[in-house]
Amino acid sequence: MEPITHQKDDAESPNYRWWHKLCLRCHQEDPTPSWQPSWWAKTVPFPFFPTYRQSAQRLCILLFFLLTWGILYVELGEAVSLNGELFSMTILVIAAYLIGWLWLKITTLPALIGMLLTGIMFQNLNLVHMTDEYRKLNQDLRKIALVIILTRAGLGLNAAVLKKHYTAVLQLGLLPWLVECIAIAITSHYLLSLPWIWSFLLGSMIASVSPAVVVPCLFRLRDVGYGVAKGIPTLLLAAAAIDDSISVAVFAIILNAMFSTGSATYNIIVGPLSIIAGVLFGSLWGAITSVIPEKGDIYVVPLRFLALFLGGLFALFISNLIGWSGAGPLAIVSSGFVAAYYWEQQGWVINKNPVSNIFRILWIFFEPILFAFTGAQITINTLDREVIKMGTICLVSCLVLRVIATFFVSFGCGLNKKEKIFIGVTWLAKATVQAALGPAALDLVNNGQSAGLPVEDEENFAKILLAVSVLSVVLSAPLGAILIAITGPRLLSREPATKNLTNFETTGNTTSTPV
């Protein structure tokens, strides 16, 4: 990168220093060597403007969105015109991406919050229109996003950590989730007047932790040495993947039982069987990807990516079709986990392999789609203020309970009191799973399926689930990110980043990335 020079009087002026600091928050310098046109540094100097690499990357992503719209316009015509629904949906996604990026750079809070708020803003300003004709497209896009989320969770699991510290991972991944799930179910039943099965459906969704919020915050702490001596970031990343997997699977099982036309006995039997079938199918498919394609194939990376991605889509769609909804999510996570295990034996580092990088790139496109479309289903003037009030009380009280429960259930993990409190704080953030699953019940009701209650009641309950899921993201995602940043340096011990690590960190490379 070409050096940037400024006049001395400008550099020493108060206005320059103020703008310089502000711009550095939005435009961070890339230390790796890069090419840029000779005129770039003089015309758009850093840090007042992004580097050429950063600008080219964002422009490339925007061009991809516009090219997608152009292709659809050629094929579909009027529906994608300037007054069409697909055009407004495309503009929504592009705006969500840009506003999310600005939100991240200015506030340092997760970009997904800005994306979610963009969707809400577009909906309430009537800038986006989605009729029933395109709601199916919305649903399918959210399913694809869910496949990406779960596959990345599976690819981020390290078999060495699970084998050596499975007790700690299960304690932190399952017990706090179970406590919050039950607490949400009880409070929502009495405060929001939801039937018990709807309450547990809400609880299974809300109890999930968001790696999209937790992982970047943990990375920032880990990079300066906080918590690495005991491998706390590694432990939490593995536990978060377990937390997400069980949350999605239980949600799918409950939702399938509610809207199933089979007998109660059949629904009871299907739950455990779907779990077993999902794990077995996913494990087998993950193992197959280690031998097909052959590891030395010149096209091994795209072929392995397609195998996991298409296999995940097939598992999710076919499990929904046959009524075994819980099998699909578990199959996706299992296939990613087993595939990563065998690929590591062949020389690919866990979650730093080329296939993980492709999923990471794919998530760049689907993150604004998921959160913008979820926010676009919220119309503020139709929300019941009592639902928002009671939902807030329900969420806040259960979040506090989860922090307390995490402190007490983390016995035997080799953690001191401060570290237990930090882990409890880390588990506050909600985002990805809530956005992916929040509208699921409403989709089924709008498609004419019934859970055995009057249509008006089911639609009301489904809208409550969606409102509370969005509320959980808006409340907990920024709160979790802020508290992790504040409490991490105060509650975790600090070790030099280059120091040899012990405990969890010595079990291998378990780097993960946000989903």
Side-chain angles (χ1 to χ4, degrees), residues 361-405:
I361 294 170
L362 202 58
W363 179 242
I364 293 175
F365 296 94
F366 276 88
E367 185 180 26
I369 292 174
L370 174 62
F371 287 98
F373 284 177
T374 300
Q377 298 191 58
I378 296 294
T379 306
I380 295 177
N381 59 12
T382 63
L383 292 177
D384 188 336
R385 292 185 179 181
E386 190 67 16
V387 169
I388 300 301
K389 176 184 175 182
M390 292 296 108
T392 302
I393 295 173
C394 174
L395 290 170
V396 172
S397 59
C398 292
L399 286 175
V400 173
L401 180 61
R402 176 161 186 158
V403 174
I404 298 172

Short mmCIF file of all heavy atoms in Angstrom, two decimals, residues 361-405:
data_model
loop_
_atom_site.label_atom_id
_atom_site.label_comp_id
_atom_site.label_asym_id
_atom_site.label_seq_id
_atom_site.Cartn_x
_atom_site.Cartn_y
_atom_site.Cartn_z
N ILE A 361 -17.69 -17.06 2.97
CA ILE A 361 -18.03 -16.11 1.90
C ILE A 361 -19.53 -16.14 1.63
O ILE A 361 -20.17 -15.10 1.46
CB ILE A 361 -17.24 -16.44 0.62
CG1 ILE A 361 -15.73 -16.20 0.85
CG2 ILE A 361 -17.73 -15.60 -0.55
CD1 ILE A 361 -14.86 -16.70 -0.26
N LEU A 362 -20.10 -17.33 1.60
CA LEU A 362 -21.53 -17.47 1.35
C LEU A 362 -22.36 -16.77 2.42
O LEU A 362 -23.41 -16.18 2.14
CB LEU A 362 -21.88 -18.96 1.29
CG LEU A 362 -23.16 -19.37 0.56
CD1 LEU A 362 -23.12 -18.90 -0.88
CD2 LEU A 362 -23.36 -20.88 0.62
N TRP A 363 -21.86 -16.81 3.66
CA TRP A 363 -22.58 -16.17 4.75
C TRP A 363 -22.61 -14.65 4.60
O TRP A 363 -23.54 -13.98 5.05
CB TRP A 363 -21.96 -16.55 6.09
CG TRP A 363 -22.62 -15.91 7.27
CD1 TRP A 363 -22.05 -15.05 8.17
CD2 TRP A 363 -23.97 -16.09 7.70
NE1 TRP A 363 -22.96 -14.67 9.12
CE2 TRP A 363 -24.15 -15.29 8.86
CE3 TRP A 363 -25.05 -16.83 7.22
CZ2 TRP A 363 -25.37 -15.23 9.53
CZ3 TRP A 363 -26.26 -16.76 7.90
CH2 TRP A 363 -26.41 -15.97 9.04
N ILE A 364 -21.61 -14.07 3.94
CA ILE A 364 -21.59 -12.63 3.69
C ILE A 364 -22.85 -12.20 2.93
O ILE A 364 -23.43 -11.15 3.18
CB ILE A 364 -20.32 -12.22 2.91
CG1 ILE A 364 -19.07 -12.43 3.77
CG2 ILE A 364 -20.40 -10.77 2.45
CD1 ILE A 364 -17.77 -12.18 3.04
N PHE A 365 -23.30 -13.05 2.00
CA PHE A 365 -24.48 -12.74 1.20
C PHE A 365 -25.78 -13.06 1.93
O PHE A 365 -26.76 -12.33 1.79
CB PHE A 365 -24.43 -13.51 -0.13
CG PHE A 365 -23.29 -13.12 -1.02
CD1 PHE A 365 -22.10 -13.82 -0.99
CD2 PHE A 365 -23.39 -12.02 -1.86
CE1 PHE A 365 -21.03 -13.45 -1.80
CE2 PHE A 365 -22.34 -11.64 -2.66
CZ PHE A 365 -21.15 -12.36 -2.63
N PHE A 366 -25.77 -14.14 2.70
CA PHE A 366 -27.02 -14.57 3.32
C PHE A 366 -27.29 -13.91 4.66
O PHE A 366 -28.43 -13.91 5.12
CB PHE A 366 -27.04 -16.10 3.46
CG PHE A 366 -27.49 -16.79 2.22
CD1 PHE A 366 -26.58 -17.14 1.23
CD2 PHE A 366 -28.83 -17.07 2.00
CE1 PHE A 366 -26.99 -17.76 0.07
CE2 PHE A 366 -29.26 -17.68 0.85
CZ PHE A 366 -28.34 -18.04 -0.13
N GLU A 367 -26.28 -13.33 5.30
CA GLU A 367 -26.53 -12.64 6.56
C GLU A 367 -27.48 -11.46 6.38
O GLU A 367 -28.49 -11.37 7.12
CB GLU A 367 -25.21 -12.18 7.18
CG GLU A 367 -25.40 -11.56 8.56
CD GLU A 367 -24.09 -11.10 9.18
OE1 GLU A 367 -23.14 -10.80 8.41
OE2 GLU A 367 -24.00 -11.04 10.41
N PRO A 368 -27.26 -10.53 5.42
CA PRO A 368 -28.24 -9.45 5.26
C PRO A 368 -29.60 -9.94 4.79
O PRO A 368 -30.63 -9.36 5.14
CB PRO A 368 -27.58 -8.53 4.22
CG PRO A 368 -26.58 -9.38 3.51
CD PRO A 368 -26.11 -10.37 4.52
N ILE A 369 -29.63 -11.02 4.00
CA ILE A 369 -30.92 -11.58 3.56
C ILE A 369 -31.71 -12.07 4.76
O ILE A 369 -32.90 -11.77 4.91
CB ILE A 369 -30.69 -12.72 2.55
CG1 ILE A 369 -30.12 -12.17 1.24
CG2 ILE A 369 -31.99 -13.47 2.28
CD1 ILE A 369 -29.73 -13.24 0.24
N LEU A 370 -31.05 -12.84 5.63
CA LEU A 370 -31.74 -13.42 6.78
C LEU A 370 -32.27 -12.35 7.72
O LEU A 370 -33.46 -12.35 8.07
CB LEU A 370 -30.77 -14.35 7.53
CG LEU A 370 -31.28 -14.94 8.84
CD1 LEU A 370 -32.50 -15.82 8.60
CD2 LEU A 370 -30.19 -15.73 9.55
N PHE A 371 -31.42 -11.42 8.12
CA PHE A 371 -31.83 -10.45 9.14
C PHE A 371 -32.74 -9.36 8.56
O PHE A 371 -33.65 -8.90 9.24
CB PHE A 371 -30.60 -9.85 9.81
CG PHE A 371 -29.92 -10.81 10.75
CD1 PHE A 371 -28.82 -11.53 10.34
CD2 PHE A 371 -30.42 -11.01 12.02
CE1 PHE A 371 -28.21 -12.43 11.20
CE2 PHE A 371 -29.82 -11.91 12.88
CZ PHE A 371 -28.71 -12.63 12.47
N ALA A 372 -32.50 -8.96 7.32
CA ALA A 372 -33.36 -7.94 6.71
C ALA A 372 -34.77 -8.48 6.50
O ALA A 372 -35.76 -7.80 6.80
CB ALA A 372 -32.76 -7.48 5.39
N PHE A 373 -34.89 -9.70 6.00
CA PHE A 373 -36.21 -10.28 5.77
C PHE A 373 -36.95 -10.57 7.08
O PHE A 373 -38.16 -10.46 7.14
CB PHE A 373 -36.09 -11.56 4.95
CG PHE A 373 -35.84 -11.31 3.48
CD1 PHE A 373 -35.65 -12.35 2.60
CD2 PHE A 373 -35.79 -10.02 2.98
CE1 PHE A 373 -35.42 -12.12 1.25
CE2 PHE A 373 -35.55 -9.76 1.64
CZ PHE A 373 -35.36 -10.81 0.77
N THR A 374 -36.20 -10.95 8.11
CA THR A 374 -36.84 -11.16 9.41
C THR A 374 -37.38 -9.85 9.96
O THR A 374 -38.52 -9.78 10.44
CB THR A 374 -35.83 -11.77 10.41
OG1 THR A 374 -35.37 -13.04 9.91
CG2 THR A 374 -36.48 -11.98 11.77
N GLY A 375 -36.58 -8.79 9.89
CA GLY A 375 -37.05 -7.48 10.35
C GLY A 375 -38.21 -6.96 9.53
O GLY A 375 -39.10 -6.27 10.06
N ALA A 376 -38.23 -7.31 8.23
CA ALA A 376 -39.28 -6.80 7.34
C ALA A 376 -40.64 -7.43 7.62
O ALA A 376 -41.63 -7.03 7.02
CB ALA A 376 -38.89 -7.04 5.89
N GLN A 377 -40.70 -8.39 8.51
CA GLN A 377 -41.98 -9.00 8.88
C GLN A 377 -42.59 -8.35 10.11
O GLN A 377 -43.65 -8.78 10.58
CB GLN A 377 -41.81 -10.50 9.09
CG GLN A 377 -41.35 -11.23 7.83
CD GLN A 377 -41.43 -12.73 7.97
OE1 GLN A 377 -42.48 -13.29 8.23
NE2 GLN A 377 -40.30 -13.39 7.81
N ILE A 378 -41.91 -7.35 10.63
CA ILE A 378 -42.41 -6.66 11.83
C ILE A 378 -43.02 -5.31 11.43
O ILE A 378 -42.34 -4.44 10.89
CB ILE A 378 -41.26 -6.42 12.84
CG1 ILE A 378 -40.72 -7.77 13.33
CG2 ILE A 378 -41.74 -5.57 14.00
CD1 ILE A 378 -41.71 -8.58 14.14
N THR A 379 -44.31 -5.16 11.69
CA THR A 379 -45.00 -3.89 11.49
C THR A 379 -45.30 -3.29 12.85
O THR A 379 -46.11 -3.84 13.62
CB THR A 379 -46.31 -4.09 10.69
OG1 THR A 379 -46.01 -4.78 9.48
CG2 THR A 379 -46.95 -2.75 10.37
N ILE A 380 -44.66 -2.18 13.15
CA ILE A 380 -44.69 -1.64 14.52
C ILE A 380 -46.10 -1.27 14.96
O ILE A 380 -46.50 -1.57 16.10
CB ILE A 380 -43.76 -0.41 14.62
CG1 ILE A 380 -42.30 -0.86 14.42
CG2 ILE A 380 -43.91 0.29 15.97
CD1 ILE A 380 -41.31 0.27 14.43
N ASN A 381 -46.89 -0.65 14.08
CA ASN A 381 -48.21 -0.19 14.52
C ASN A 381 -49.20 -1.32 14.76
O ASN A 381 -50.29 -1.09 15.26
CB ASN A 381 -48.79 0.82 13.52
CG ASN A 381 -48.92 0.23 12.12
OD1 ASN A 381 -48.80 -0.97 11.91
ND2 ASN A 381 -49.14 1.10 11.15
N THR A 382 -48.83 -2.55 14.37
CA THR A 382 -49.70 -3.69 14.64
C THR A 382 -49.27 -4.47 15.87
O THR A 382 -49.96 -5.43 16.26
CB THR A 382 -49.75 -4.63 13.43
OG1 THR A 382 -48.44 -5.18 13.20
CG2 THR A 382 -50.24 -3.91 12.19
N LEU A 383 -48.13 -4.09 16.45
CA LEU A 383 -47.64 -4.81 17.63
C LEU A 383 -48.46 -4.46 18.86
O LEU A 383 -48.85 -3.31 19.07
CB LEU A 383 -46.17 -4.47 17.88
CG LEU A 383 -45.15 -4.97 16.84
CD1 LEU A 383 -43.76 -4.48 17.20
CD2 LEU A 383 -45.17 -6.49 16.74
N ASP A 384 -48.71 -5.46 19.66
CA ASP A 384 -49.41 -5.27 20.92
C ASP A 384 -48.40 -4.78 21.96
O ASP A 384 -47.42 -5.46 22.25
CB ASP A 384 -50.05 -6.59 21.36
CG ASP A 384 -50.96 -6.42 22.57
OD1 ASP A 384 -50.76 -5.47 23.34
OD2 ASP A 384 -51.86 -7.26 22.75
N ARG A 385 -48.65 -3.59 22.51
CA ARG A 385 -47.71 -3.04 23.49
C ARG A 385 -47.58 -3.94 24.71
O ARG A 385 -46.51 -4.02 25.33
CB ARG A 385 -48.17 -1.64 23.92
CG ARG A 385 -48.08 -0.59 22.80
CD ARG A 385 -48.44 0.79 23.34
NE ARG A 385 -48.32 1.80 22.29
CZ ARG A 385 -48.57 3.09 22.48
NH1 ARG A 385 -48.95 3.53 23.69
NH2 ARG A 385 -48.44 3.95 21.48
N GLU A 386 -48.65 -4.61 25.05
CA GLU A 386 -48.60 -5.51 26.21
C GLU A 386 -47.68 -6.70 25.91
O GLU A 386 -46.97 -7.16 26.80
CB GLU A 386 -50.02 -6.01 26.54
CG GLU A 386 -50.13 -6.75 27.86
CD GLU A 386 -49.87 -5.85 29.06
OE1 GLU A 386 -49.90 -4.60 28.91
OE2 GLU A 386 -49.65 -6.39 30.16
N VAL A 387 -47.70 -7.17 24.65
CA VAL A 387 -46.81 -8.27 24.27
C VAL A 387 -45.34 -7.83 24.37
O VAL A 387 -44.49 -8.57 24.88
CB VAL A 387 -47.12 -8.74 22.83
CG1 VAL A 387 -46.04 -9.68 22.32
CG2 VAL A 387 -48.48 -9.42 22.78
N ILE A 388 -45.05 -6.62 23.89
CA ILE A 388 -43.68 -6.11 23.97
C ILE A 388 -43.25 -5.94 25.43
O ILE A 388 -42.13 -6.31 25.81
CB ILE A 388 -43.56 -4.76 23.23
CG1 ILE A 388 -43.92 -4.95 21.75
CG2 ILE A 388 -42.16 -4.20 23.37
CD1 ILE A 388 -43.06 -5.94 21.02
N LYS A 389 -44.15 -5.42 26.26
CA LYS A 389 -43.83 -5.21 27.67
C LYS A 389 -43.59 -6.53 28.38
O LYS A 389 -42.56 -6.72 29.05
CB LYS A 389 -44.98 -4.45 28.34
CG LYS A 389 -44.81 -4.27 29.83
CD LYS A 389 -46.04 -3.58 30.44
CE LYS A 389 -45.94 -3.50 31.95
NZ LYS A 389 -47.16 -2.88 32.55
N MET A 390 -44.53 -7.46 28.24
CA MET A 390 -44.40 -8.75 28.91
C MET A 390 -43.24 -9.56 28.31
O MET A 390 -42.54 -10.29 29.03
CB MET A 390 -45.70 -9.54 28.78
CG MET A 390 -46.88 -8.96 29.56
SD MET A 390 -46.61 -8.98 31.36
CE MET A 390 -46.34 -7.24 31.68
N GLY A 391 -43.05 -9.43 26.99
CA GLY A 391 -41.93 -10.13 26.35
C GLY A 391 -40.59 -9.65 26.86
O GLY A 391 -39.67 -10.44 27.09
N THR A 392 -40.47 -8.34 27.07
CA THR A 392 -39.23 -7.78 27.61
C THR A 392 -38.97 -8.28 29.02
O THR A 392 -37.84 -8.67 29.36
CB THR A 392 -39.30 -6.24 27.60
OG1 THR A 392 -39.53 -5.78 26.27
CG2 THR A 392 -38.01 -5.64 28.15
N ILE A 393 -40.01 -8.29 29.85
CA ILE A 393 -39.86 -8.80 31.22
C ILE A 393 -39.45 -10.27 31.20
O ILE A 393 -38.55 -10.69 31.95
CB ILE A 393 -41.18 -8.63 32.00
CG1 ILE A 393 -41.50 -7.14 32.18
CG2 ILE A 393 -41.11 -9.32 33.35
CD1 ILE A 393 -42.86 -6.87 32.79
N CYS A 394 -40.08 -11.02 30.33
CA CYS A 394 -39.77 -12.45 30.20
C CYS A 394 -38.31 -12.66 29.79
O CYS A 394 -37.59 -13.45 30.41
CB CYS A 394 -40.72 -13.08 29.18
SG CYS A 394 -40.38 -14.79 28.77
N LEU A 395 -37.86 -11.93 28.78
CA LEU A 395 -36.50 -12.10 28.27
C LEU A 395 -35.46 -11.67 29.29
O LEU A 395 -34.48 -12.40 29.55
CB LEU A 395 -36.33 -11.28 26.99
CG LEU A 395 -37.07 -11.79 25.74
CD1 LEU A 395 -37.01 -10.76 24.62
CD2 LEU A 395 -36.49 -13.11 25.26
N VAL A 396 -35.64 -10.49 29.89
CA VAL A 396 -34.64 -9.97 30.83
C VAL A 396 -34.52 -10.87 32.05
O VAL A 396 -33.42 -11.21 32.50
CB VAL A 396 -35.01 -8.53 31.25
CG1 VAL A 396 -34.09 -8.05 32.36
CG2 VAL A 396 -34.92 -7.59 30.05
N SER A 397 -35.66 -11.29 32.61
CA SER A 397 -35.62 -12.13 33.81
C SER A 397 -34.96 -13.47 33.51
O SER A 397 -34.18 -13.99 34.33
CB SER A 397 -37.04 -12.35 34.35
OG SER A 397 -37.86 -12.96 33.37
N CYS A 398 -35.23 -14.04 32.35
CA CYS A 398 -34.65 -15.34 32.01
C CYS A 398 -33.17 -15.24 31.65
O CYS A 398 -32.40 -16.18 31.88
CB CYS A 398 -35.44 -15.99 30.88
SG CYS A 398 -37.12 -16.48 31.33
N LEU A 399 -32.77 -14.10 31.09
CA LEU A 399 -31.35 -13.89 30.83
C LEU A 399 -30.56 -13.83 32.14
O LEU A 399 -29.47 -14.40 32.27
CB LEU A 399 -31.14 -12.61 30.03
CG LEU A 399 -31.52 -12.65 28.54
CD1 LEU A 399 -31.38 -11.28 27.92
CD2 LEU A 399 -30.67 -13.66 27.79
N VAL A 400 -31.10 -13.12 33.11
CA VAL A 400 -30.46 -13.05 34.42
C VAL A 400 -30.39 -14.44 35.04
O VAL A 400 -29.36 -14.83 35.62
CB VAL A 400 -31.23 -12.08 35.34
CG1 VAL A 400 -30.66 -12.13 36.76
CG2 VAL A 400 -31.16 -10.65 34.79
N LEU A 401 -31.47 -15.19 34.92
CA LEU A 401 -31.49 -16.55 35.46
C LEU A 401 -30.45 -17.42 34.79
O LEU A 401 -29.81 -18.25 35.44
CB LEU A 401 -32.89 -17.15 35.29
CG LEU A 401 -33.07 -18.59 35.80
CD1 LEU A 401 -32.80 -18.65 37.30
CD2 LEU A 401 -34.47 -19.10 35.49
N ARG A 402 -30.25 -17.22 33.48
CA ARG A 402 -29.26 -18.03 32.78
C ARG A 402 -27.84 -17.73 33.27
O ARG A 402 -27.02 -18.64 33.39
CB ARG A 402 -29.35 -17.80 31.27
CG ARG A 402 -28.29 -18.55 30.50
CD ARG A 402 -28.61 -18.72 29.05
NE ARG A 402 -27.61 -19.57 28.40
CZ ARG A 402 -27.83 -20.23 27.28
NH1 ARG A 402 -29.00 -20.16 26.68
NH2 ARG A 402 -26.87 -20.96 26.73
N VAL A 403 -27.56 -16.46 33.53
CA VAL A 403 -26.23 -16.11 34.05
C VAL A 403 -26.00 -16.80 35.39
O VAL A 403 -24.93 -17.38 35.63
CB VAL A 403 -26.11 -14.58 34.22
CG1 VAL A 403 -24.80 -14.22 34.90
CG2 VAL A 403 -26.21 -13.89 32.87
N ILE A 404 -27.01 -16.77 36.25
CA ILE A 404 -26.90 -17.42 37.56
C ILE A 404 -26.75 -18.93 37.41
O ILE A 404 -25.91 -19.56 38.06
CB ILE A 404 -28.13 -17.08 38.43
CG1 ILE A 404 -28.20 -15.57 38.68
CG2 ILE A 404 -28.09 -17.85 39.75
CD1 ILE A 404 -29.48 -15.13 39.36
N ALA A 405 -27.57 -19.52 36.52
CA ALA A 405 -27.53 -20.97 36.32
C ALA A 405 -26.17 -21.40 35.78
O ALA A 405 -25.62 -22.43 36.19
CB ALA A 405 -28.64 -21.38 35.37
#
